[in-house]
């Protein structure tokens, strides 16, 4: 167990300006504003201050940008957005013991004081008392971000910045695929957006025997094939693909990785799952919907896993191991790197579908 020996001095903050540029949710409506003089956060005793170099735009950020019903109900106006990043430590709280100035780090964006039942029993990713960076407290679309020492993840020197900036969503994909236990098994990924595509390359690296995917975007289906899918079905052409999957497997895939959150895709995914198969669900439906629990889960004997966030920090260690194995193909998924001043273009590329993962250079 780590013991914290508080340093005699206060926080090290030499050379840090008082204000910074930051992408702020400036009103209860669409878009974000780049503020030029947001105060730089002050680290508490057990926090580190990080100079952000690269930050990924997430689907969550798009919800916040578009100000949909979820964002309106959850996001405090005035917050600095963003939760996926890499940067360098520039200040240490007085009690921080494990990190050094200049160290290149990312961070787990789910922050828990660690006092609740789940946090104390190895399930901090679903802790009751959790707050999320860039959702509930100021995030990383800024020159500086402050996070607790407990959440810091040191980035291996061989992992490039544009990949280190997207460890958060990659961790979602790794968590889902690892929970589904895909090794030597057939896998169906429903929905190949950013995390679905990441799940394809992770499943391939983790030893899935055959990967099938569905989507409605031919470009993403083609990319999924390049990443290792043997069959990629455009569901706009009907549901015959379910028969093909069943006949190519033992009456259905062993593992369903659900990444779309779309009611039709979820039902079809369960139709293509074999009796006794495992479904790992990460995609989030926008509202409750009718679902055939009797046939899709109960009679089928399906094992259903809800996936949220990343296990702290088992998923992070698995992700690093997979990255260092050299078997993950992420370069085609990260389609654009833009200066933060071009943030509006970044969100536009995401909305049009022209871009997949967009990384902002801060
Ligand atoms: Zn994210």
């Amino acid at each position: 167990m780590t013991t914290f020996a508080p340093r005699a001095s206060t926080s090290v903050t030499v050379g840090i300006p008082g204000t910074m540029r930051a992408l702020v949710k400036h009103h209860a409506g669409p878009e974000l504003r780049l503020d030029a003089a947001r105060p730089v956060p002050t680290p508490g005793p057990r926090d580190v201050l990080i100079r952000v170099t690269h930050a990924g735009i997430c689907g969550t950020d798009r919800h916040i940008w578009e100000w949909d019903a979820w964002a309106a109900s959850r996001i405090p106006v005035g917050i600095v957005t963003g939760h996926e990043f890499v940067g360098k430590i520039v200040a240490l709280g007085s009690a921080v013991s494990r990190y050094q100035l200049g160290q290149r780090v990312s961070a787990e964006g789910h922050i828990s004081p660690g006092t609740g039942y789940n946090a104390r029993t190895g399930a901090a990713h679903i802790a009751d008392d959790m707050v999320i960076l860039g959702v509930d407290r100021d995030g990383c679309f800024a020159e500086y971000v402050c996070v607790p020492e407990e959440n810091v993840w040191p980035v291996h020197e061989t992992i490039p910045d544009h990949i280190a900036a997207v460890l958060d969503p990659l961790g979602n994909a790794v968590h889902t695929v690892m929970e589904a236990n895909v090794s030597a098994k057939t896998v169906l990924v429903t929905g190949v957006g950013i995390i679905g595509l990441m799940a394809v390359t992770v499943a391939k690296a983790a030893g899935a025997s055959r990967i099938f995917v569905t989507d409605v975007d031919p470009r993403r289906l083609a990319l999924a094939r390049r990443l290792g899918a043997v069959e990629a079905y455009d569901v706009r052409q009907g549901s015959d693909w379910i028969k093909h999957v069943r006949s190519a497997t033992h009456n259905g895939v062993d593992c369903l990785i659900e990444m779309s959150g779309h009611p039709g895709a979820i039902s079809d995914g369960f139709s293509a799952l074999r009796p006794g198969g495992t479904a790992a669900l990460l995609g989030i439906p926008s509202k409750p919907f009718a679902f055939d629990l009797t046939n899709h889960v109960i009679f089928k004997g399906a094992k259903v896993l809800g996936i949220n966030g990343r296990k702290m920090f088992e998923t992070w260690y698995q992700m690093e191991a997979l990255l260092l194995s050299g078997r993950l193909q992420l370069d085609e998924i990260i389609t654009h790197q833009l200066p933060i001043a071009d943030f509006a273009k970044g969100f536009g590329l995401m909305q049009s579908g022209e871009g997949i993962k967009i990384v902002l250079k801060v």
Side-chain angles (χ1 to χ4, degrees):
M1 203 48 219
T2 311
T3 53
F4 294 95
R7 295 170 187 208
S9 63
T10 52
S11 307
V12 184
T13 55
V14 179
I16 297 164
T19 61
M20 63 180 185
R21 290 188 303 157
L23 267 183
V24 173
K25 188 79 229 180
H26 57 297
H27 71 146
E31 304 188 2
L32 299 171
R33 186 177 71 198
L34 186 60
D35 282 1
R38 179 93 176 182
V40 172
T42 307
R46 293 179 63 175
D47 295 335
V48 301
L49 185 69
I50 299 160
R51 173 100 171 78
V52 178
T53 59
H54 300 73
I57 303 180
C58 181
T60 302
D61 302 317
R62 182 177 162 183
H63 291 296
I64 298 170
W65 171 273
E66 292 172 352
W67 201 246
D68 62 9
W70 170 82
S73 71
R74 175 76 182 260
I75 304 299
V77 171
I79 196 173
V80 176
T81 53
H83 56 271
E84 308 171 357
F85 72 97
V86 64
K88 287 197 171 153
I89 295 177
V90 291
L92 302 166
S94 57
V96 171
S97 59
R98 286 189 259 160
Y99 299 104
Q100 292 98 48
L101 294 176
Q103 208 172 342
R104 192 171 67 119
V105 298
S106 182
E108 167 58 55
H110 288 191
I111 297 168
S112 160
T115 50
Y117 178 87
N118 280 340
R120 287 168 59 84
T121 55
H125 61 294
I126 46 171
D128 299 330
D129 48 5
M130 183 172 69
V131 298
I132 301 177
L133 204 65
V135 171
D136 304 308
R137 59 180 258 168
D138 279 351
C140 67
F141 287 157
E143 289 174 280
Y144 298 91
V145 65
C146 191
V147 297
E149 172 182 38
E150 293 299 323
N151 284 66
V152 170
W153 180 259
V155 177
H156 192 277
E157 60 189 8
T158 60
I159 297 171
D161 284 331
H162 67 289
I163 289 172
V166 300
L167 295 179
D168 172 291
L170 181 62
N172 289 140
V174 170
H175 185 185
T176 312
V177 171
M178 289 300 156
E179 290 297 298
N181 196 12
V182 301
S183 174
K185 292 187 180 150
T186 52
V187 174
L188 167 65
V189 180
T190 43
V192 282
I194 298 164
I195 300 178
L197 288 166
M198 288 174 166
V200 172
T201 188
V202 170
K204 172 98 175 159
S209 62
R210 298 189 81 193
I211 301 168
F212 305 84
V213 302
T214 61
D215 204 276
V216 294
D217 182 331
R219 288 170 299 181
R220 291 178 190 219
L221 289 166
L223 175 51
R225 280 184 187 274
R226 294 198 292 279
L227 298 178
V230 291
E231 296 292 345
Y233 303 106
D234 187 334
V235 296
R236 294 172 306 177
Q237 289 163 12
S239 55
D240 274 359
W241 66 270
I242 298 171
K243 279 186 234 150
H244 296 170
V245 169
R246 282 190 185 149
S247 63
T249 56
H250 301 298
N251 200 26
V253 292
D254 300 309
C255 306
L256 166 64
I257 306 281
E258 210 302 300
M259 294 296 186
S260 73
H262 186 278
I266 295 169
S267 291
D268 285 352
F270 275 90
S271 296
L273 181 68
R274 74 163 164 80
T278 298
L281 314 180
L282 185 84
I284 301 165
S286 59
K287 54 182 190 241
F289 65 93
F291 178 76
D292 186 354
L293 196 62
T294 308
N295 290 303
H296 286 330
V297 176
I298 300 168
F299 287 158
K300 190 166 255 190
K303 187 174 167 190
V304 181
L305 305 169
I307 308 292
N308 184 357
R310 299 141 297 280
K311 283 187 174 174
M312 293 170 225
F313 278 81
E314 183 182 354
T315 302
W316 289 81
Y317 285 105
Q318 291 169 332
M319 174 161 55
E320 182 177 84
L322 285 165
L323 284 166
L324 298 187
S325 77
R327 282 180 287 169
L328 297 187
Q329 292 175 255
L330 298 168
D331 286 336
E332 274 196 272
I333 299 174
I334 302 166
T335 52
H336 296 79
Q337 293 189 62
L338 303 169
I340 193 168
D342 292 343
F343 64 96
K345 184 180 170 194
F347 280 95
L349 285 165
M350 208 174 170
Q351 287 169 319
S352 70
E354 195 187 323
I356 302 176
K357 192 69 185 175
I358 320 288
V359 169
L360 298 175
K361 292 192 276 188
V362 182

